[in-house]
């Protein structure tokens, strides 16, 4: 169980996203932070990351790993497909 509210997680998650953003930019990609809900971080990969075969590894071993190391080991990350930003509850 994550001992933080979604509201308490917002700023730390933003900091971690900003921390990993430069490594994505090296390959022409980017990441947008959308929301935190029940310990799940919703992001959207952008640029060259969209449709990249390695995007799953980027999320799991890059973004999620960093969130777990810096904030809490039970956080998970979900990439929200383009056009689904307003439908996070249905993912």
């Amino acid at each position: 169980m994550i001992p933080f509210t979604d509201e308490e997680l917002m700023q730390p998650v933003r900091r971690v996203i900003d921390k990993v953003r430069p490594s994505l930019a090296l390959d022409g990609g980017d990441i947008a932070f959308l929301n935190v809900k029940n310990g799940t971080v919703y992001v959207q990969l952008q640029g060259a990351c969209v449709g990249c075969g390695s995007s799953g590894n980027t999320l799991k071993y890059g973004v999620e790993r960093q969130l777990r190391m810096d904030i809490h080991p039970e956080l998970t990350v979900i990439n929200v497909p383009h056009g689904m930003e307003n439908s996070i509850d249905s993912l």
Side-chain angles (χ1 to χ4, degrees):
M1 186 168 143
I2 298 173
F4 305 106
T5 66
D6 293 340
E7 186 62 35
E8 291 172 327
L9 287 170
M10 297 292 258
Q11 277 308 111
V13 167
R14 280 190 176 100
R15 282 193 291 273
V16 171
I17 296 296
D18 287 341
K19 185 177 182 178
V20 299
R21 180 171 275 128
S23 63
L24 298 176
L26 290 173
D27 292 322
D30 200 3
I31 186 169
F33 168 64
L34 300 178
N35 202 1
V36 176
K37 190 168 188 169
N38 300 321
T40 300
V41 177
Y42 294 91
V43 299
Q44 189 172 68
L45 293 175
Q46 300 174 334
C49 291
V50 176
C52 174
S54 297
S55 63
N57 287 335
T58 297
L59 283 178
K60 188 76 174 166
Y61 301 110
V63 180
E64 187 173 272
R65 181 175 169 265
Q66 195 66 53
L67 286 165
R68 288 178 171 190
M69 286 187 333
D70 290 0
I71 301 172
H72 195 274
E74 294 179 28
L75 289 174
T76 57
V77 175
I78 292 180
N79 182 43
V80 177
H82 287 270
M84 298 289 293
E85 298 88 347
N86 296 322
S87 305
I88 289 176
D89 292 334
S90 67
L91 295 176

